[in-house]
Amino acid sequence: MSVFSAPQFARTLEIPQVLIAPSIDPLSDKNRELGTGQIEDILQQLGIHSDKPMVTQISRFDRLKDPVGVLEAWRIARRRVDCQLVLAGGGATDDPEGAVVLREVREKASDDPDVHILDLPPTANIEINAIQRASTVIIQKSLKEGFGLTVSEALWKSKPVIAGSVGEIPLQITHKYSGILTHTVEGTAFWIKQLLSAPEFAQSLGANGHNHVRNNFLRTRHMRDYLLAFSYLTGDRSDVIRL
Ligand code: UDP
């Protein structure tokens, strides 16, 4: 049997294949609840002040995650609503292209005190959790994407998410219901401004997104899918229809 995470990766094969979407672990350091004091301590260690609304993208510094586009969108939005930007991610040390992108983003940010560019180590799970929980709006402005786990992670924390309508992100976000889907820098800028100006609407997106992740993208659903696949393999085919 073969397992694919999404239909676009599936191939014509002679063995049975099943589609099983990825999931997040709500009990892991990346996703578990954190106390307010703990979040504040971590932000302080990272040099981020929580005095302004925080717009965040957590991603490897990779062109397909479009960190420069996020910076441009944030700059347009900031003309209307005061806010800070956090671009946090790793991947710059072992990936030469990542280092180039990180340098480019730093140059473009040109020491703006409201832009925090954080090159995080791979172990920074609690830090990512704290940054996501402290954020007012979370962006995932990918130009190309697989599943986009950062979207599930942000929605699980009940955050309003603005994300590129690519890869499997539309499976996680229904536009204007459980988040916002965008295609351009201008669209992203528009929605940053809108969500920062309409906190109740933003909160409702986050709440709907949280429920969607709870129902579809937690480890429990993932385990159920695998158990059904295993029961198919061991000959009990009565459950297969539910896969
Ligand atoms: N991530 C991380 N540290 C970073 C950047 C990302 O741990 O510096 C995590 C992020 O929280 C998510 C995963 O890496 O769990 C990225 O998965 P996603 O599907 O969003 O994108 P990919 O990097 O696989 O293209």
Side-chain angles (χ1 to χ4, degrees):
M1 172 175 288
S2 57
V3 176
F4 293 97
S5 62
Q8 71 262 32
F9 302 126
R11 295 286 175 270
T12 307
L13 298 170
E14 288 182 3
I15 53 173
Q17 46 187 299
V18 290
L19 293 176
I20 300 184
S23 65
I24 61 165
D25 180 354
L27 304 178
S28 64
D29 281 346
K30 178 82 63 68
N31 296 307
R32 66 181 167 81
E33 290 283 343
L34 296 178
T36 320
Q38 195 177 5
I39 295 173
E40 278 167 12
D41 287 350
I42 292 170
L43 287 194
Q44 207 174 7
Q45 283 160 21
L46 295 171
I48 304 171
H49 302 286
S50 44
D51 56 342
K52 288 185 184 183
M54 200 166 131
V55 177
T56 300
Q57 176 161 292
I58 304 278
S59 268
R60 292 177 293 110
F61 287 96
D62 181 312
R63 293 199 193 286
L64 294 177
K65 308 291 184 182
D66 201 16
V68 171
V70 177
L71 181 63
E72 288 169 355
W74 170 80
R75 282 215 163 108
I76 298 170
R78 199 219 355 207
R79 286 188 218 139
R80 300 290 186 83
V81 189
D82 194 20
C83 55
Q84 57 183 329
L85 176 67
V86 177
L87 290 171
T93 45
D94 57 349
D95 169 15
E97 170 78 342
V100 173
V101 175
L102 177 58
R103 202 174 322 124
E104 192 179 317
V105 177
R106 284 208 163 115
E107 273 165 22
K108 291 217 153 73
S110 62
D111 294 328
D112 186 326
D114 282 331
V115 181
H116 304 275
I117 298 169
L118 307 176
D119 184 8
L120 299 175
T123 50
N125 295 320
I126 298 191
E127 286 79 359
I128 289 175
N129 188 346
I131 295 168
Q132 287 170 329
R133 288 186 187 276
S135 298
T136 321
V137 171
I138 295 187
I139 314 282
Q140 187 56 58
K141 202 197 159 304
S142 302
L143 303 172
K144 197 171 174 198
E145 194 53 85
F147 181 74
L149 276 172
T150 50
V151 172
S152 278
E153 289 163 7
L155 294 175
W156 177 244
K157 293 161 188 118
S158 300
K159 296 296 168 179
V161 177
I162 303 171
S165 184
V166 291
E168 301 288 297
I169 290 177
L171 274 189
Q172 302 178 70
I173 291 181
T174 299
H175 184 54
K176 295 206 248 183
Y177 174 74
S178 51
I180 297 295
L181 295 174
T182 56
H183 300 86
T184 60
V185 166
E186 292 73 19
T188 306
F190 171 82
W191 281 107
I192 293 173
K193 181 186 67 85
Q194 290 295 103
L195 296 189
L196 291 178
S197 316
E200 281 181 18
F201 175 56
Q203 210 176 2
S204 74
L205 296 179
N208 292 337
H210 173 83
N211 284 336
H212 185 59
V213 171
R214 193 185 58 202
N215 292 332
N216 296 287
F217 300 119
L218 294 186
R219 282 288 190 267
T220 37
R221 187 277 309 152
H222 210 159
M223 282 166 58
R224 191 194 61 207
D225 283 355
Y226 268 98
L227 288 173
L228 287 169
F230 295 151
S231 84
Y232 171 83
L233 285 177
T234 55
D236 174 6
R237 304 198 168 198
S238 58
D239 277 339
V240 165
I241 194 75
R242 286 168 30 206
L243 274 179

